[in-house]
Amino acid sequence: MSYFSFLAEHGPTMLLGTVTTIKVLVCATILYVIISLIFGLMRLSKNPIIQGTATVYIEFFRGTSLLVQLFWFYYVLPFFGLTLEAFTAGVVAIGMNFGAYGAEIVRGGILAVPKGQWEGAFALNFTPAKRMRKIIIPQIFPIILPPAANLTVELLKATALVALVTVVDLTFEAKQINSITWLNKIVDLIFLNFLLLSENIWPISPILHAPRIASVIECNTGSPSEWPKVPN
């Protein structure tokens, strides 16, 4: 069977699986971004309870296997009276796991903001919340976007695990097709599919990166119209 005839017969099924994979990717990314911001800020808190809570969460989810966490959310939580659908369990497990890694990226980005920016915020007598919202957080994006894009690509590859809890994603559909046809073409097509999806994530980083860099440069040096004129 040629690739074209294979796609003609099984392409629609694989397309449905790809749509589910993209849904898992988007939902898990939104969840991990929210968790990253919250727990990244909590890690920098001077309150030992808040900082300790964030540290325990981050170390637990980074120190245990994503596969074990996924099985725990789907198969173990029902014993405690909380039953999650397969899709929800997959999104929550992946989002919380990658949120732990993202929190450290956010924390590192905040600590990398130049000391002068902190001193300027203190000089303006901003409250801690306003200091973070107006001065510090806007400047961390050029720092954290490259590792965050890399983490999102890793998240995309991790979505294949949701097939193990019966989510009908690309990997699940491929396994079903392979059990019927026993053709290795399905492996090639899955590899190509994931490669194309990951290559569409990387361009987002520089697109979001450039305006933030420009805003930080303007914040530190002023707008071009305010720069001193160089005599001819």
Side-chain angles (χ1 to χ4, degrees):
M1 180 183 291
S2 67
Y3 278 102
F4 292 107
S5 58
F6 183 87
L7 284 174
E9 182 176 352
H10 300 290
T13 302
M14 292 187 63
L15 182 60
L16 291 175
T18 303
V19 170
T20 303
T21 294
I22 293 173
K23 288 180 180 178
V24 174
L25 171 65
V26 172
C27 294
T29 299
I30 292 172
L31 179 60
Y32 106 74
V33 167
I34 294 172
I35 291 174
S36 298
L37 289 172
I38 293 174
F39 282 87
L41 291 171
M42 289 173 64
R43 281 277 282 140
L44 295 171
S45 174
K46 294 181 179 179
N47 187 314
I49 297 177
I50 295 176
Q51 186 185 45
T53 301
T55 301
V56 169
Y57 166 80
I58 290 170
E59 294 304 322
F60 175 80
F61 278 93
R62 290 200 309 170
T64 55
S65 168
L66 174 57
L67 182 60
V68 174
Q69 295 166 17
L70 184 63
F71 283 173
W72 197 88
F73 276 107
Y74 187 66
Y75 293 112
V76 177
L77 281 184
F79 289 102
F80 296 95
L82 180 60
T83 302
L84 299 177
E85 294 182 358
F87 182 88
T88 304
V91 168
V92 170
I94 294 174
M96 294 189 72
N97 180 274
F98 280 82
Y101 291 94
E104 288 297 282
I105 293 176
V106 171
R107 183 177 72 91
I110 292 173
L111 294 176
V113 173
K115 185 179 178 181
Q117 299 299 312
W118 292 89
E119 292 173 348
F122 280 113
L124 292 171
N125 200 27
F126 282 179
T127 63
K130 189 175 182 181
R131 184 165 61 240
M132 280 291 178
R133 189 175 70 255
K134 295 289 188 179
I135 304 295
I136 305 303
I137 296 297
Q139 296 188 62
I140 71 173
F141 287 100
I143 303 169
I144 71 172
L145 277 176
N150 183 59
L151 191 63
T152 305
V153 172
E154 292 296 323
L155 188 151
L156 168 64
K157 292 184 285 186
T159 58
L161 293 176
V162 299
L164 299 175
V165 291
T166 70
V167 176
V168 187
D169 71 329
L170 177 61
T171 306
F172 185 92
E173 294 287 13
K175 184 179 179 182
Q176 295 296 105
I177 294 171
N178 184 62
S179 65
I180 298 171
T181 62
W182 293 96
L183 294 174
N184 60 0
K185 292 182 177 63
I186 190 65
V187 178
D188 301 334
L189 292 173
I190 288 182
F191 178 84
L192 180 62
N193 205 323
F194 272 100
L195 179 63
L196 291 175
L197 287 174
S198 63
E199 287 301 315
N200 283 314
I201 292 175
W202 271 111
I204 297 175
S205 178
I207 290 173
L208 296 175
H209 195 84
R212 291 295 179 179
I213 293 177
S215 66
V216 171
I217 292 174
E218 184 172 336
C219 177
N220 291 328
T221 64
S223 63
S225 61
E226 298 172 350
W227 294 352
K229 302 297 182 181
V230 179
N232 295 326

